[in-house]
Amino acid sequence: MKKLSNLLVLTIAILIFAVTATALSNNDEQSALPKLEPLPIHTRVEQAVAFFLPKIHYKKQQIDDELSSQMFDFYLESLDPQKLYFLESDIKEFENYRYSLDDALRNGDLRTAFEIFNRFMNRFEERLTYVKKRLEKPFNFNAEDSFLIDRKDMPWPKTQEELDSLWSKRLKNEALSLKIAGKDWAAIK
């Protein structure tokens, strides 16, 4: 039963993600990445899901705050499973939506999903810029460092500096793996 409930949440989250990913608007002149916006058809699709879900799902799955909370968690985990893009402040801001996704689903309102996804894309772009800048200088492999590979259960980074530190360690770990494999700095970067 729990697996099917999870499957339902997964299906809804994938639908929201798929709808989000297909709704590219015109590129913003100041950003290399496009800003996504919902298309009119997406509203109708979301309303159809909200209409049929409680009627045809074998569990008669209700679209309520509990489902909303599950969708919220799943969506964030799908976008940033290792907590390497969003900041704690982003998550606190998004918390306002935790129990309103069910209402948004019924109303065909995709603004929240798009807002979260666009923030993710902005954070992604920030990380890409950081990576390019950080790889301009080689790493010091003589310093004692540690890197937690699986950050799933860790808290969200609080500051940009904390995020930069995590990414520096991540890059250093990957660079060290390549160095051990016999690559020189030019090939690593």
Side-chain angles (χ1 to χ4, degrees):
M1 294 290 213
K2 178 100 172 137
K3 279 187 177 183
L4 289 173
S5 178
N6 288 343
L7 182 61
L8 172 65
V9 171
L10 174 64
T11 303
I12 292 171
I14 288 172
L15 173 66
I16 292 171
F17 186 76
V19 166
T20 301
T22 60
L24 290 174
S25 69
N26 295 334
N27 280 346
D28 179 11
E29 294 294 324
Q30 297 180 358
S31 175
L33 297 173
K35 181 180 178 191
L36 301 179
E37 296 175 353
L39 298 175
I41 187 70
H42 298 146
T43 296
R44 292 190 296 261
V45 169
E46 190 169 12
Q47 288 172 324
V49 168
F51 176 79
F52 286 114
L53 189 61
K55 295 177 182 353
I56 64 173
H57 190 269
Y58 84 97
K59 282 181 65 179
K60 306 293 184 214
Q61 178 68 49
Q62 294 303 307
I63 299 174
D64 56 15
D65 286 350
E66 181 181 347
L67 182 63
S68 179
S69 181
Q70 291 173 351
M71 289 188 311
F72 177 82
D73 290 335
F74 186 82
Y75 193 47
L76 290 178
E77 187 175 320
S78 297
L79 292 174
D80 192 2
Q82 293 298 316
K83 299 179 180 171
L84 289 168
Y85 294 94
F86 287 127
L87 293 171
E88 182 181 271
S89 59
D90 296 324
I91 303 306
K92 284 182 179 177
E93 181 182 337
F94 299 152
E95 253 328 296
N96 295 324
Y97 303 127
R98 176 175 292 281
Y99 299 108
S100 64
L101 294 178
D102 56 322
D103 301 321
L105 181 63
R106 278 190 293 274
N107 295 326
D109 183 357
L110 291 159
R111 288 178 297 185
T112 299
F114 280 84
E115 179 183 335
I116 292 171
F117 186 79
N118 285 323
R119 177 78 56 86
F120 171 77
M121 293 304 290
N122 288 339
R123 295 294 186 208
F124 178 86
E125 192 172 34
E126 290 171 2
R127 292 296 91 210
L128 191 56
T129 300
Y130 174 80
V131 166
K132 288 176 182 177
K133 183 178 179 185
R134 179 59 191 92
L135 290 177
E136 290 174 359
K137 297 184 295 185
F139 292 99
N140 175 7
F141 295 115
N142 296 321
E144 180 100 13
D145 259 333
S146 64
F147 172 66
L148 181 62
I149 294 173
D150 184 1
R151 290 192 33 80
K152 183 179 180 186
D153 296 325
M154 299 303 293
W156 297 95
K158 289 180 177 30
T159 64
Q160 199 70 37
E161 292 75 23
E162 187 178 343
L163 200 52
D164 288 349
S165 175
L166 289 170
W167 273 85
S168 181
K169 290 177 182 180
R170 178 182 181 185
L171 292 170
K172 185 176 182 179
N173 180 63
E174 291 176 17
L176 182 58
S177 294
L178 291 170
K179 183 177 172 92
I180 291 170
K183 304 288 182 187
D184 63 4
W185 180 247
I188 291 172
K189 67 177 188 166

